[in-house]
Amino acid sequence: MFAAHPASAQARIDGRFDANGQPIRMVCTGTGRPAVVVDAGMGTAPVEDPGWQGIAAKIAAVTRVCLADRAGLGDSPPSRKSPRTSGDAAAELHAALKQAGVSGPYLLVGHSVGGLHAQVFASQYPDDVAGLVLVSSTHPDQMTTWLSLLPARAPDEAQAITEARSFLTGMLEDPMKNEEHLDISASAAQARQLTTLGDKPVIVATHSSSYRMVPGLAEPLAITLEEATQRMQKQFLSLSSNARQHIAAKAGHGLPHEDPAFVVENILEGVKAVRGTEASP
């Protein structure tokens, strides 16, 4: 059963909304513009997630904020389509927001692979995007870059290198290797279509450079991969003439749970930038 509660009619909405035949669970709280729309990391249903719930409560004091569970997560039934792409996720989110009556343009907040989806959303629906907040976001070239930095295969190589190569190759070549059956390569190609947001705000919230995204690797190689990751994070700044980056002091890739206050600060900075005036918590 689909719910249809126009967001303009009440402060809170909570239901499953028809996204072109795919039910999407969404909860929106708070009032004001821009509406902040969260696209969480792989396998995370933000509606039910304590970390995102806490972040949303802070944002709702300033503006409207919506948490949406992608197909197959939380109370959103699985998609009939497999494999899926970021384009599918973006189209369903866009349709669900319209069905729920949530007015754009939106400030999209994307964590990890949710950031990849957010980039595709911005490319597909530029008029409905007020800005981006990319929280330790997946970069379109991230996995191919990491794979290219691993040493050539050797019979006596460390097990961690073998496992990292196998993981990255599997993620790039086989969508069934991840829990959302996401075609990473196709999704990355879609995200590369986003070349500019003009002067729309882009806030890049990056994990600490001391974090090791690929665990178990010897430090010299781990550092090389993290340096490449930090460079890719900085590349997001080229998406807008109104972009800025903040790097967490200690928190790793799981920023919404490791340092939710940092995430809140970055989102509110995005709200302030979109409004053009200071947003007070």
Side-chain angles (χ1 to χ4, degrees):
M1 176 180 290
F2 294 121
H5 306 293
S8 59
Q10 57 190 53
R12 178 182 175 88
I13 61 172
D14 184 346
R16 290 200 295 179
F17 299 93
D18 181 8
N20 304 321
Q22 169 65 49
I24 293 295
R25 172 79 185 283
M26 185 185 305
V27 171
C28 300
T29 54
T31 58
R33 301 184 68 175
V36 171
V37 178
V38 170
D39 207 333
M42 180 74 76
T44 299
V47 171
E48 295 82 7
D49 182 76
W52 279 115
Q53 288 175 343
I55 291 168
K58 300 288 188 182
I59 303 304
V62 175
T63 194
R64 176 170 289 285
V65 56
C66 297
L67 305 178
D69 293 345
R70 290 190 297 271
L73 300 177
D75 198 33
S76 295
S79 173
R80 292 189 295 270
K81 179 181 179 181
S82 182
R84 290 166 51 79
T85 68
S86 289
D88 297 319
E92 289 166 3
L93 178 58
H94 184 261
L97 287 164
K98 297 300 184 185
Q99 180 72 15
V102 182
S103 300
Y106 315 109
L107 178 64
L108 298 177
V109 178
H111 172 234
S112 189
V113 78
L116 197 67
H117 301 335
Q119 293 165 61
V120 175
F121 189 112
S123 175
Q124 291 183 345
Y125 311 105
D127 293 342
D128 287 328
V129 175
L132 291 178
V133 180
L134 299 174
V135 182
S136 194
S137 171
T138 300
H139 188 283
D141 299 330
Q142 185 167 294
M143 291 191 183
T144 53
T145 297
W146 288 348
L147 195 56
S148 72
L149 291 172
L150 295 179
R153 195 184 305 271
D156 59 344
E157 69 184 8
Q159 183 177 354
I161 294 177
T162 303
E163 291 176 350
R165 185 186 297 107
S166 176
F167 171 77
L168 292 170
T169 301
M171 288 291 284
L172 287 167
E173 296 180 355
D174 185 359
M176 299 301 113
K177 293 288 189 180
N178 65 75
E179 60 191 296
E180 294 190 45
H181 298 172
L182 183 70
D183 188 328
I184 298 289
S185 295
S187 297
Q190 293 169 344
R192 292 187 191 101
Q193 299 303 307
L194 180 66
T195 57
T196 181
L197 281 84
D199 62 354
K200 294 178 181 179
V202 173
I203 309 297
V204 183
T206 301
H207 60 265
S208 170
S209 60
S210 64
Y211 178 68
R212 299 295 177 254
M213 191 77 82
V214 181
L217 296 177
E219 267 300 271
L221 181 56
I223 290 172
T224 296
L225 264 63
E226 183 54 39
E227 287 175 346
T229 302
Q230 293 288 330
R231 287 194 297 271
M232 285 184 281
Q233 288 284 300
K234 193 170 293 293
Q235 288 172 9
F236 286 132
L237 296 173
S238 67
L239 289 175
S240 172
S241 60
N242 185 13
R244 63 207 78 169
Q245 181 185 28
H246 304 290
I247 301 175
K250 297 180 180 179
H253 182 62
L255 283 170
H257 302 94
E258 295 179 44
D259 196 348
F262 176 75
V263 176
V264 169
E265 290 169 3
N266 279 270
I267 295 173
L268 291 180
E269 182 171 347
V271 172
K272 175 182 175 181
V274 169
R275 289 179 173 176
T277 56
E278 185 169 358
S280 302

